[in-house]
Amino acid sequence: MNERDSEIMGQILSSHGYVECNDMESADLVILNTCTIRAKAEQKVMSLLGALRKIKTQRPGMKICVAGCVAQQEGDHLIQRMPHVDLVLGTQNIYDLGTYIARTTETGRPVIATGMSKAFQIPAFLPTDREAIGSTGDLHPFRRFVTIMQGCDNYCSYCVVPYTRGREISRSAQDIVAEVRKFVDQGVKEITLLGQNVNSYGRKPNGTARPCSFPELLHQVAEIRGLHRLRFTTSHPKDLSNELIGCFRDIAILCPQFHLPVQSGSDAVLKRMNRHYTVADYLERVEALFACRPDLALTTDIIVGFPGETDEDFALTMDLLERVRFHGSFSFKYSDRPGVRSCNFDGKISEQVKSERLAIFQRRQDEISLERNGAYVGSRQEIMIESTGDSGFQGRTGTNHIVHVDQHTDLGPGDLLEVEIYHAGQHSLKGRFHPKH
Ligand code: SAH
Ligand code: SF4
């Protein structure tokens, strides 16, 4: 979501005459688009701001903007801690970036723009032609993200998103389809639709737009001619509908990849997390998914060391891992976030125990990922090429696995090619293709 927001800010800046440069030292304006989901993400921002302070001492004309969730959370505290910051830009305020930068110049003082409104609507935002050349950072010109909703109303007890991103709001299907169509016209082949909980898409629509459900939206987007691959993230297990599961059967370009964060394998912990499902509910949904699409690659998110998590609770998370055998997972040590309910929960777990549990989980997940990946050896997979070099190229399967091929090809990024997988590693596969004579 931050990557897409960064693109939008890049687009606004280019319409104000800015051009991109490749290093912080020579930039007139540096924007840190930040995340505060876990303490570690926030610490990274603070240390980068420290480094920028030194650069700014040498080049006082440089402007520094902190955007995104750290900006939203810290507001004017950020200026108190980091007086060299010129602009603090909240998550709903990025669309007015140009105005706020001009204000920092006019006033010569730091500007704090972190207002949030219940009536906030995501503006219709079409990519410009300049953006379509893929000039922003390392984004691929053929693979793009499209934000379909913002904010979250779920209030999981550990999570800062409802506070930093505001109330859930869905963009109109019309705006989304127009944005995807524009991307596809510019050569984009793969789109990932983004929302904190895509299954509630349309429940709180932008303005007066006619609401449609997420599965309906998927069908509409999939009909856009020239789009080859469609993905989405993230889905909440509590309201993963049969209709959405059915899309994996009915929509040919929907990639067989699904991210379904479970967080814990213990019902007691899930309850305190305010997740509104049990392990049995989760397993039932997983079964329905695989029944519909047996070749699906399933990934999840896990938090270890949630307040009050006992050895038995953690053992249940390990049991769940054995039962589902996720293709991959993102696992994190629980960290307190400002203002969330779990900050005040009893039974905080020590860093040492959290680290031990994380290591145990990740070690076993790595073994399972390797076993899962081994099952692809000998199969033929369609990959979309992402990068090419003198001695080979790299692509991605529909299941979202990276494949390295050490043969030359005249094809380029965005092209589709069928390869035979001959080696599996923990995090990637190796493949070869048979050139046509
Ligand atoms: N909306 C998505 C995920 C958003 S946050 C969902 O509901 O699943 C991405 C992941 O960060 C979460 O799934 C969770 O595993 C992790 N996370 C969120 N808050 C956290 C915290 N306080 N400590 C550790 N991990 C956290
Ligand atoms: Fe956070 Fe829960 Fe919303 Fe996901 S669903 S963003 S974890 S509050």
Side-chain angles (χ1 to χ4, degrees), residues 95-353:
Y95 304 94
D96 298 317
L97 174 63
T99 314
Y100 292 122
I101 291 181
R103 198 169 297 162
T104 63
T105 310
E106 282 157 22
T107 62
R109 299 167 63 97
V111 171
I112 296 150
T114 50
M116 274 218 230
S117 160
K118 281 199 176 123
F120 172 72
Q121 301 200 357
I122 306 169
F125 222 88
L126 291 180
T128 61
D129 292 335
R130 181 188 169 277
E131 192 197 41
I133 343 171
S135 57
T136 24
D138 56 1
L139 289 163
H140 296 285
F142 58 87
R143 190 154 64 89
R144 284 300 168 93
F145 295 115
V146 170
T147 301
I148 63 164
M149 53 209 293
Q150 186 153 316
C152 183
D153 287 351
N154 284 315
Y155 289 96
C156 299
S157 60
Y158 51 80
C159 184
V160 81
V161 170
Y163 308 96
T164 57
R165 289 253 172 200
R167 299 279 56 72
E168 179 183 299
I169 178 89
S170 299
R171 293 178 71 193
S172 78
Q174 216 180 352
D175 285 354
I176 295 164
V177 169
E179 186 165 308
V180 175
R181 192 170 282 134
K182 179 92 191 250
F183 272 138
V184 171
D185 288 348
Q186 292 165 343
V188 170
K189 308 261 178 66
E190 177 179 313
I191 290 287
T192 303
L193 303 177
L194 299 175
Q196 294 298 346
N197 177 11
V198 292
N199 233 25
S200 58
Y201 172 79
R203 242 176 253 171
K204 289 169 70 189
N206 236 4
T208 55
R210 187 189 74 83
C212 84
S213 69
F214 183 62
E216 278 165 2
L217 178 72
L218 277 180
H219 279 279
Q220 284 187 38
V221 172
E223 273 162 27
I224 296 172
R225 278 172 69 103
L227 182 64
H228 291 297
R229 283 183 169 183
L230 182 57
R231 304 181 193 270
F232 64 86
T233 197
T234 300
S235 213
H236 195 304
K238 79 175 158 59
D239 38 25
L240 167 56
S241 64
N242 288 335
E243 203 189 347
L244 179 56
I245 292 177
C247 290
F248 283 100
R249 183 187 51 230
D250 303 335
I251 299 180
I253 66 165
L254 188 61
C255 292
Q257 171 220 343
F258 199 75
H259 186 60
L260 192 61
V262 64
Q263 314 297 1
S264 169
S266 155
D267 285 344
V269 172
L270 287 174
K271 192 154 202 287
R272 288 202 305 279
M273 287 178 163
N274 196 32
R275 291 288 287 180
H276 295 284
Y277 54 83
T278 62
V279 173
D281 297 334
Y282 186 87
L283 289 171
E284 185 275 325
R285 291 288 77 190
V286 167
E287 206 173 301
L289 275 163
F290 281 116
C292 186
R293 191 75 200 243
D295 61 338
L296 198 74
L298 184 72
T299 54
T300 199
D301 288 348
I302 296 285
I303 298 177
V304 299
F306 188 76
E309 185 188 70
T310 60
D311 285 340
E312 290 72 32
D313 290 322
F314 176 63
L316 289 169
T317 297
M318 294 304 293
D319 275 356
L320 182 71
L321 174 61
E322 297 301 336
R323 289 182 74 167
V324 180
R325 293 171 54 80
F326 298 102
H327 287 72
S329 61
F330 300 94
S331 46
F332 314 104
K333 288 190 271 187
Y334 167 80
S335 58
D336 273 345
R337 305 310 300 130
V340 307
R341 281 205 289 134
S342 60
C343 278
N344 304 318
F345 287 5
D346 293 336
K348 293 280 167 62
I349 308 295
S350 72
E351 273 308 301
Q352 194 195 336
V353 169

